[in-house]
Structure formats: C-alpha cells, structure tokens
Amino acid sequence: SQKIEQNSEALNIQEGKTATLTCNYTNYSPAYLQWYRQDPGRGPVFLLLIRENEKEKRKERLKVTFDTTLKQSLFHITASQPADSATYLCALGSFNKFYFGSGTKLNVKP
Amino acid sequence: GAGVSQSPSNKVTEKGKDVELRCDPISGHTALYWYRQSLGQGLEFLIYFQGNSAPDKSGLPSDRFSAERTGGSVSTLTIQRTQQEDSAVYLCASSPGTGSTEAFFGQGTRLTVV
C-alpha cells in the first residue's frame, strides 16, 4: 500500500526565514499532490495543488515543487510569520481520492 | 450553509453502544469523504462518495463501520458496538467533484469511547 512520509519532528524557524517542509512517498503514482494547513481543533484547510506534470506551483508566499522521479514534494513558505505556525499536511491522490501524510508541525518564532 | 457542517462536535459514548455522526456538505458538491484522525496522527481515509456511483469503502477498518449518503447530500457515518480504539476525531470533507479536487473540511466530531 502507499506510504506517505512527513517529518514528524517539529520545524522551528525564526520569523522572516523560509520554511521548507518535505513530503516523500512510496508505492504510489499520484496524479496530483495537495498541501493543507491544520490548526489545533480545526479541520485541514486547502493551500495548494500540484499535478504530476507540473514541476512547481506558487501562491503568494507559498511554493510547492513536485518531483515524480524522487517521489518527493517540497513546500516552502517565504518570509515566514508567527501566524504561519500550524501543522502542514500533504495529500496524494488520483481520481478524487487522496491519502494524507501525518503532517509536520511548524513553529515560527518572533 | 457556507461550509461543511458536522454534528455533534463532541460525542462521549460507552463501549458497545452504537453512534451516528452526521455531515452536511457544501451545497452542490458531488464528492464527500470521511477521514479519521487519531491524536497526533495524520488523516486515515475511511470512505468516499462521488455522485450516484457506488461508494469506495476500502478504508473502513471493520464491518462495524458503515456510511450512507442520502439524496446525494447529507451523509451519516455509523459505528456499531463501539470500542475504545474507535476514539478519534472524525472529519468529513466535500469537493465539487470531477475536475476540482480541493476538499473542504468540517470541524470534525471528537468521539470518545469510555
């Protein structure tokens, strides 16, 4: 079955720096990959989607890359702010069905 | 409503009892998902409905779990003879369907089996 790995250790960075989160997967060939943000006690909120034929996607301070050869996606937040502190989840999918990683907690310190 | 609504927000039940969790998706969304999230864990896929097609039940952990979606809208997840390991947050999401895979999640139902 598919395996999706995100760093279980929290990422601590200083405000203003770029945060980079990693999502690796095996035993799967997703048609697309999504990133979600989850705050404590809340449901995940969609951030970005990138398809298998796309290398990079940007939205404001967010950038996602998708390397289907390495089976890896990188999620970048530039000029990070304390308000960016949350857990970030990647999700891999095909045909409108998708599977989530366990998420990485990001702490942005002022 | 404007978003996905789930009820109840919290449910405490005794081991062995049956529970029903409700999800009201965004109007017009054809796809509906149920996920389960245990403490500190990622989301575990349970079941997926798409329009009038047969649901994908491949993620249901046991035959104690079932779900239905009436009229292509409201969905109910039923857990029979609850066990302590069923304790988790149950999340529902809906999506416009084919061509758009962004999922909109509800706040979840926190189920505690005592």
Side-chain angles (χ1 to χ4, degrees):
Chain A
S1 63
Q2 74 286 341
K3 189 175 181 181
I4 304 166
E5 294 182 334
Q6 294 186 257
N7 196 337
S8 58
E9 291 184 12
L11 177 63
N12 299 304
I13 65 167
Q14 204 67 33
E15 180 177 9
K17 300 293 186 183
T18 296
T20 298
L21 307 175
T22 304
C23 176
N24 295 297
Y25 60 94
T26 56
N27 300 332
Y28 198 46
S29 295
Y32 57 86
L33 187 149
Q34 304 179 62
W35 283 89
Y36 286 78
R37 168 183 173 143
Q38 187 174 27
D39 291 284
R42 310 293 293 267
V45 174
F46 173 82
L47 296 175
L48 278 170
L49 178 149
I50 186 166
R51 300 190 185 278
E52 59 179 336
N53 59 348
E54 297 176 316
K55 296 292 186 187
E56 181 180 298
K57 201 81 150 313
R58 292 175 184 261
K59 179 182 177 182
E60 298 173 352
R61 293 185 296 112
L62 309 179
K63 184 178 86 170
V64 172
T65 62
F66 192 11
D67 189 325
T68 55
T69 300
L70 291 178
K71 295 187 181 295
Q72 180 181 78
S73 174
L74 299 179
F75 176 78
H76 307 273
I77 306 176
T78 58
S80 59
Q81 305 165 2
D84 295 327
S85 298
T87 295
Y88 291 85
L89 303 161
C90 69
L92 277 62
S94 299
F95 304 108
N96 282 49
K97 176 179 168 181
F98 44 96
Y99 300 92
F100 282 84
S102 57
T104 298
K105 186 173 182 181
L106 173 65
N107 296 313
V108 182
K109 301 181 185 300
Chain B
V4 177
S5 178
Q6 292 187 245
S7 61
S9 54
N10 282 283
K11 176 72 176 180
V12 180
T13 190
E14 291 182 353
K15 178 181 173 182
K17 300 282 189 183
D18 297 352
V19 294
E20 284 190 352
L21 312 180
R22 177 187 170 103
C23 173
D24 282 273
I26 293 172
S27 178
H29 281 192
T30 59
L32 187 147
Y33 311 81
W34 283 97
Y35 287 85
R36 177 169 71 174
Q37 188 171 33
S38 301
L39 187 63
Q41 301 297 310
L43 277 69
E44 175 189 4
F45 169 79
L46 297 177
I47 188 169
Y48 160 56
F49 296 89
Q50 173 60 55
N52 295 320
S53 302
D56 181 338
K57 305 179 183 180
S58 59
L60 295 179
S62 78
D63 58 9
R64 295 187 296 105
F65 288 71
S66 63
E68 63 177 23
R69 188 178 185 191
T70 54
S73 181
V74 172
S75 178
T76 302
L77 177 68
T78 301
I79 309 173
Q80 296 178 311
R81 306 181 301 281
T82 53
Q83 305 294 313
Q84 287 187 329
E85 60 263 29
D86 299 335
S87 297
V89 175
Y90 289 81
L91 289 157
C92 174
S94 70
S95 171
T98 303
S100 175
T101 53
E102 174 183 351
F104 297 81
F105 280 83
Q107 299 278 58
T109 293
R110 180 174 297 279
L111 175 67
T112 303
V113 182
V114 297

